[in-house]
Amino acid sequence: MNIIFILIGISLTVALTFLGAFLWAVRSGQYDDDYTPSVRVLFEDESPTGPTP
């Protein structure tokens, strides 16, 4: 029964570590996309599929 409490503690520690790393990455700008908006103007918009009136 003690091993269950140890495993729960370890899993919570790992989960909180990954959550902290994710929050750090978001706050430090790792997921900011600066490249896509600048090249979006180079590509044509896809025309809607369907009959033209």
Side-chain angles (χ1 to χ4, degrees), residues 30-48:
Q30 294 290 323
Y31 291 106
D32 290 344
D33 187 13
D34 296 332
Y35 178 71
T36 302
S38 63
V39 288
R40 188 178 300 152
V41 297
L42 300 175
F43 300 107
E44 294 183 20
D45 291 337
E46 293 182 15
S47 61

Side-chain angles (χ1 to χ4, degrees), residues 3-53:
I3 193 68
I4 292 174
F5 295 125
I6 293 172
L7 289 175
I8 289 173
I10 291 172
S11 65
L12 284 175
T13 303
V14 170
L16 290 175
T17 301
F18 279 110
L19 179 64
F22 173 74
L23 291 176
W24 171 79
V26 168
R27 290 183 183 186
S28 68
Q30 294 290 323
Y31 291 106
D32 290 344
D33 187 13
D34 296 332
Y35 178 71
T36 302
S38 63
V39 288
R40 188 178 300 152
V41 297
L42 300 175
F43 300 107
E44 294 183 20
D45 291 337
E46 293 182 15
S47 61
T49 57
T52 33

